């Protein structure tokens, strides 16, 4: 029997109808909604009311509804977590993963579906997960790793799920807008990949490259990452002009609003975060620019001397915003991979007093005058992660949730973030993220080829 609309509480209907507006208005509606959920005794009505929040367009509402589902309806929570695991917003997936790791009843109720989803999200084999191997770069990644290990520890559950896996895991340009103001020229030169000769590799360094040295053509690169103020101006223009600059493969009904738009910790002069690869590509096209290739990014960071860090061979804590700055360490405390993952697993984004910081740290300048290439945020590139080829997405017909674990949808991100230890705050470190990810730890900057330089 389906509950009719007249039986649905007014607070639930008001939340369902809310699309956009001031954060204070949203928070007031959320408070009424959550208070109403607490009072619902009819399981079917509670399930339908929870679905309104779990499927809402606004990430903050989805997060709060998920927490309410785990608290109020354990029998529905497994399905709610399953929805959240496919959410493109990483700040929604994170709490779902944390719930799996911390709630025994939830693990029992939704273990099979949760483990299946986690293996797809992580895209690694059970053996790799058990060993802790792989590039886990964000808080949500670390929480997914912890949850997957917990679920794999149940041999009966793991055997049942693994037996069912079908396969082994594994815009129009507007040149008139183009300006090179705020960009640096990177001359053509050789890029020597990998650890510099005479230096010991760190656990955060990538493996040996298939092609250790390449020639990079000359180009221009933004001096610093795109800021929230600059990105929000683009979003406002899309609201007025429509999606004129978007990638043709962009998911249907895309809203380019960053998922961190209502977070007071993400100020206007901080790097834009909570944006997917598609969002970054659309912004770049709006400027008449593009995303840099991975080789261009590394060439700009390492210079002709093939430096380990943009500023030189040794780590300098004052030159970069990483986990050491966030937690008040001296920056010289060595963290191995396991210790760092434990730190990330224990972090709660909602309770951290700060995340990103202002752009343009002068101490971290590269040989070509480019700043903030390491730390603060990882940066999207235009390069596919696993094979190093240009990313040419053809996923428009797929649901965003189906892309987790799809290797060809993983993009290379570079440089480390506010959540990274010193081992990852280098010009060498790299990792792969699915192109629909919206994370508070990933931003971007833009590039222009020499051939596209405006006539003087």
């Amino acid at each position: 029997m389906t509950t009719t609309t007249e039986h649905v509480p007014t607070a639930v209907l008001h939340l369902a109808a809310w699309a956009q507006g001031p954060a204070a208005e949203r928070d007031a509606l959320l408070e009424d909604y959550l208070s109403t959920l607490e009072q619902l005794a009819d399981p079917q009505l509670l399930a339908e009311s929870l679905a309104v929040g779990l499927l809402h367009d606004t990430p903050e509402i989805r997060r709060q509804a998920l927490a309410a589902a785990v608290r109020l309806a354990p029998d529905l929570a497994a399905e709610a977590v399953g929805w959240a695991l496919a959410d493109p917003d990483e700040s929604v997936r994170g709490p779902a993963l944390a719930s799996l790791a911390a709630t025994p009843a939830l693990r029992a109720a939704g273990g099979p579906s949760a483990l299946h989803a986690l293996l797809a999200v992580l895209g690694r084999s059970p053996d790799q997960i058990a060993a802790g191997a792989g590039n886990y770069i964000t808080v949500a990644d670390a929480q997914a790793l912890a949850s997957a290990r917990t679920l794999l520890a149940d041999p009966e559950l793991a055997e049942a799920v693994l037996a069912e896996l079908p396969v082994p895991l594994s815009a129009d340009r507007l040149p008139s807008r183009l300006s090179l103001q705020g960009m640096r020229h990177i001359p053509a030169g050789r890029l020597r990949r990998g650890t510099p000769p005479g230096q010991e590799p760190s656990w955060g360094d990538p493996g040996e490259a298939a092609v250790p040295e390449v020639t990079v053509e000359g180009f221009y690169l933004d001096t610093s990452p795109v800021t929230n103020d600059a990105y929000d101006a683009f979003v406002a223009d899309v609201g007025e002009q429509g999606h004129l600059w978007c990638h043709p493969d962009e998911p249907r009904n895309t809203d380019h609003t960053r998922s961190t738009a209502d977070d007071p910790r993400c100020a206007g002069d901080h790097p834009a975060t909570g944006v997917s690869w598609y969002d970054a590509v659309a912004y770049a096209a709006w400027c008449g620019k593009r995303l840099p290739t991975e080789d261009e990014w590394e060439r700009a960071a390492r210079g002709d001397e093939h430096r380990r860090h943009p500023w030189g061979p040794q780590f300098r804590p004052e030159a970069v915003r990483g986990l050491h700055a966030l937690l008040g360490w001296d920056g010289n405390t060595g963290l191995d991979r396991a210790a760092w993952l434990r730190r990330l697993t224990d972090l709660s984004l909602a309770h951290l007093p700060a995340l990103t910081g202002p752009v343009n740290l002068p101490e971290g300048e590269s040989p070509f005058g480019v700043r903030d290439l390491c730390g603060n945020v990882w940066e999207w590139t235009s390069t596919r992660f696993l094979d190093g080829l240009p990313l040419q997405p053809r996923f428009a017909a797929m649901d965003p949730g189906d892309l987790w674990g799809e290797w060809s949808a993983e993009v290379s991100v570079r440089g480390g973030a506010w959540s990274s230890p010193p081992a990852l705050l280098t010009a060498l470190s790299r990792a792969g993220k699915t192109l629909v990810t919206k994370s508070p730890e990933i931003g971007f900057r833009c590039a222009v080829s020499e051939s596209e330089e405006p006539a003087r």
Side-chain angles (χ1 to χ4, degrees), residues 79-91:
E79 185 176 0
V81 168
W83 288 348
L85 287 173
D87 200 292
D89 192 318
E90 193 155 292
S91 61

Side-chain angles (χ1 to χ4, degrees), residues 177-370:
R177 289 182 179 270
L178 178 57
S179 169
L180 299 182
Q181 184 177 359
M183 305 188 83
R184 292 285 184 167
H185 179 244
I186 314 298
R190 300 291 289 174
L191 167 64
R192 189 181 302 150
R193 296 165 169 154
T195 307
Q199 289 192 12
E200 286 293 322
S202 159
W203 64 260
D205 292 356
E208 291 295 325
V211 180
E213 193 168 326
V214 294
T215 297
V216 180
E217 299 299 325
F219 66 103
Y220 294 84
L221 189 66
D222 286 347
T223 303
S224 60
V226 173
T227 64
N228 287 316
D229 281 343
Y231 183 81
D232 290 347
F234 153 73
V235 173
D237 207 15
V238 170
E240 293 181 5
Q241 307 294 332
H243 291 250
L244 304 178
W245 306 278
C246 300
H247 192 284
D249 188 64
E250 179 178 280
R252 295 181 297 276
N253 302 318
T254 291
D255 179 359
H256 289 295
T257 303
R258 53 190 174 87
S259 64
T260 57
D262 292 330
D263 193 329
R265 299 169 298 182
C266 301
D269 61 347
H270 291 204
T273 56
V275 297
S276 71
W277 183 87
Y278 289 110
D279 294 330
V281 166
Y283 174 92
W286 179 69
C287 298
K289 302 178 183 179
R290 59 176 174 80
L291 294 184
T293 67
E294 187 173 8
D295 285 345
E296 286 174 336
W297 188 98
E298 189 169 339
R299 162 84 176 140
R302 305 187 68 181
D304 293 322
E305 301 171 1
H306 314 291
R307 296 176 176 178
R308 179 176 183 79
H309 304 90
W311 55 83
Q314 303 300 322
F315 179 72
R316 292 171 50 197
E318 75 280 4
V320 58
R321 183 175 180 82
L323 194 59
H324 64 284
L326 198 70
L327 301 181
W329 301 342
D330 61 10
N332 295 315
T333 302
L335 281 182
D336 61 19
R337 183 190 296 271
W340 171 59
L341 287 172
R342 286 194 297 272
R343 289 281 186 176
L344 284 190
T345 302
D346 294 338
L347 284 181
S348 171
L349 293 184
H351 296 112
L352 289 175
L355 299 178
T356 54
V359 301
N360 267 324
L361 274 178
E363 295 87 352
E365 195 168 277
S366 84
F368 301 118
V370 182

Side-chain angles (χ1 to χ4, degrees), residues 34-35 37-38 46 64-74 77 99 103:
L34 295 172
S35 177
L37 293 179
E38 297 277 359
L46 175 60
Q64 296 286 353
L66 173 66
V70 172
R71 185 176 69 257
L72 300 174
S99 297
T103 312

Side-chain angles (χ1 to χ4, degrees), residues 13 33 54 109 146 154-155 163 167 178 201 211 236 244-245 258 341 354 361 373 396 413 422 433 452:
L13 295 175
Y33 168 74
L54 292 167
D154 181 340
V167 292
L178 178 57
V211 180
L244 304 178
W245 306 278
R258 53 190 174 87
L341 287 172
L361 274 178
L373 284 162
V413 295
K433 293 301 292 182
E452 295 182 299

